[in-house]
Amino acid sequence: MEKPGLPSGTRDFGPETMIQRKYILSIMQQVFESHGFGALETPALENLKTLQGKYGEEGDQLLFKVLNSGDFLSKADNQWLAEKNSKALAPSISDRGLRYDLTVPMARFVVMNRDKISFPFKRYQMQPVWRADRPQKGRYREFWQCDIDVVGANSIVSEAELIEMYQEVFAQLKLGVVIRINHRGILDAFVPMAGSLEAWQQFMIVIDKADKIGSDGVVKELNERGLCNTVAAWEFLEKTQELPTNEDKLAALRSFADGLNNQEFKERLVRGVFDISKILTLVESNQNVHLDVSLARGLSYYTGTVMEVVVDDGKVPADFKIGSIGGGGRYDNLTGMFGLKDVSGVGVSFGLDRIYDVLQAAALLPSAGTEKHESCLVCAMDEACLDYAYDLCNRLRKQGEKIELYPGTPKLKKQLEYANQRNFGSAIIIGDSEMEQKTYVMKNLVTGAQETRKFPQ
RNA sequence: GCGGUUAUAGCUCAGGUGGUUAGAGCAUCAGCUUGUGGCGCUGAGGGUCGCCGGUUCGAGUCCGGUUAAUCGCCCCA
């Protein structure tokens, strides 16, 4: 016999878990809608052409590709097939893949529906995404993202609003968080120092890990990767990072900009500093919004502000470690990749599954509850009473009662055990005598008391 | 793609240095209780010890391989 199992990195969510997941989702939905964001859903499957080239080289490799249907091998590339070169063969046997995030499908939707959309387009989207990487703690192959995006407006009031929406959601979830914020323009300033765009990209990957591997670790890894001339850049960033307040950091960046010769990168840096400063002013309470000059974020489509949410709450056990539980940023070129130019967008994502894991570790999820609920289970003693019981159910339900009929007529003991396990507050018992007398027995499952009532007309 | 750990009943796990018929708790089913639940007691069913091979008189236990899960690395929510 075949033993059932799940593919690695995927999970089932039973009724108890779903109550808790929906609790999180409903808070987000309420906040999103209160800010005027409308719902969007897109298919799990997208054309690979839509997805590829948006997430960087690493991201492309993590795309789940779906085999073409039918006799796909007849169209396969013979050379690569013979050489068993899977990577090169893939494009000839797979045209579609599972979405990797919600931002790119949204951008595709915007471009395809530009005639129907009134810009700025504000949408929220809460759906699963798939990534073919090695699962581990807090890391799944199928997981849910909850995205909010503003497309077609380049004012940074959107950034401020999104940050405040992060704050609202996590406040309602009673979870303390820190929102780390940075600007690609600030990091761009180090391209000349790195020497090449490629070296700069590697530099960003390394400094992004600063909070994990420490400053010494960053220096070590930069040297190992042969990025010796970026060490000075890191030393400046590190010194900036150690400054106590956002204002101090911004001031340090401004004076750094004054010393830059390259006009183009100087302008980008100044712009970045200006934007961050403005956002921090707009956000009403910005104590938990920290400028973090080492924050880079992996997705290659970000061009302006980048942000990330990390847990900062004493209720979470100290040994519970998980990466960021949300992130996002501004992207100026995403729709441009699909042929719609000069449309700027900004959006953030909530990582539902990690938020769930954190809330569980912090004991902040609503418990399944041992209290009896108000539903009533109707138990019929035998087949002859079942019609009568079914009729009674319908009548009581029409009176507004929450009522369920046990589907079948096993022993009463068994039916009452079921009522207990499901936490019914009361049970109705129907036997021959009740049927004859046109009554029913109502039993309170908490107190055990029971009384006979008349069958409703 | 690279390392570490684990794999025994439906679930969670025990099973020193190899040795009769592989155990427990929970869950399931039945009975104590003919139309009354939670608690309790009694009993029953349920196993190719992941898979393949090796060492041995003898392997759940030791060795090699393999598959899967899981935790790290890379990268990311």
Side-chain angles (χ1 to χ4, degrees), chain A residues 91 96 126 145 186 189 193 203 219 305 327 329 342 366 371 392 435:
Chain A
R96 287 169 290 272
M126 306 195 285
Q145 291 194 329
I186 293 172
M193 253 169 136
F203 171 70
V219 173
T305 327
D342 300 323
E371 274 175 40
L392 176 64
M435 206 157 57

Side-chain angles (χ1 to χ4, degrees), chain A residues 388-400:
Chain A
Y388 178 86
Y390 187 88
D391 190 15
L392 176 64
C393 265
N394 278 338
R395 284 168 193 255
L396 289 176
R397 215 177 274 125
K398 270 180 198 147
Q399 293 179 3

